Amino acid sequence: MEDQRVAVVTGASRGIGRAIALALGATGHAVVVGYASNDAAAEEVVNEITAAGGRAVAARADVAEEGDVAAMFDTAVAAYGGVDVVVNSAGRTALAPIAELELDVLDAVHRTNIRGSFVVAREAARRVRSGGAIVLLSTSVVGLRFPRYGAYAASKGAVEAMTLILAREMRGRDITVNAVAPGPTATELFFEGKDEATVEQLAKQPPMERLGTPADIAAVVAFLTGPGGRWVNGQVLRANGGII
């Protein structure tokens, strides 16, 4: 299948990344399921894609390590011949007031979210074929400014900046670069550390009065990386149900 498009998705063993990998597999992409540590969860995603008639392989990688990321892209080339789509969904969060956040926690968040996004984006810029697409994951909290999200929002603000610059650096190569910024989305990462009242409050904020789902975000990514999204470039899409 030499004409099949090939997608590399990081953070694809759970949550939004998993939904993105499944969505791209369902739209005909061969998928490299990038993941940090959970072998079994990654293999489950691979098995789900292949059971539906798609092609997929897992690749373990720390997104902040350039050798790991290069090897993940090498896996895509060896298995499927190249890379057309890259989605960096790997991320880390930490909730605390800025006055109380430990700096080692700040460093860990920024290592994954800023350095990791940069390493993946850099490799994508070097490897993605003409006609391809690069999507980085941000967060609507950059605009919503929720208290306790200072470290996380700061890291994702950096992701948005590099997205907009990389889109312009890809001039002449027919490669789109965009960011998707989910609002509150029902994932394990979102529910962690939140009581029922907090979850209910956040779910009521969008006019649609519910949390987003990983499938909601995956559908936006599938659009941006598909034929219908070719004229969307250098943008940050706030996929949050209208929350303000």
Side-chain angles (χ1 to χ4, degrees), residues 10 18 39 43 63 88 100 112 129 176 179 181-182 199 202 207:
T10 70
R18 178 181 184 277
D39 298 342
E43 284 301 325
V63 292
N88 186 51
E100 299 174 14
T112 298
R129 296 184 285 206
T176 63
V199 171
L202 289 169

Side-chain angles (χ1 to χ4, degrees), residues 74-101:
D74 288 343
T75 296
V77 173
Y80 306 121
V83 180
D84 303 287
V85 171
V86 175
V87 183
N88 186 51
S89 184
R92 181 190 293 262
T93 189
L95 302 183
I98 289 172
E100 299 174 14
L101 188 74

Side-chain angles (χ1 to χ4, degrees), residues 7 15-16 21 28-29 85 96 150 160-161 180 182 216 242:
I16 290 172
H29 293 77
V85 171
E160 293 188 7
V180 174
D216 289 328

Side-chain angles (χ1 to χ4, degrees), residues 224-240:
L224 288 175
T225 58
R230 293 304 300 166
W231 198 234
V232 182
N233 189 29
Q235 303 298 316
V236 178
L237 273 67
R238 305 245 181 258
N240 58 32

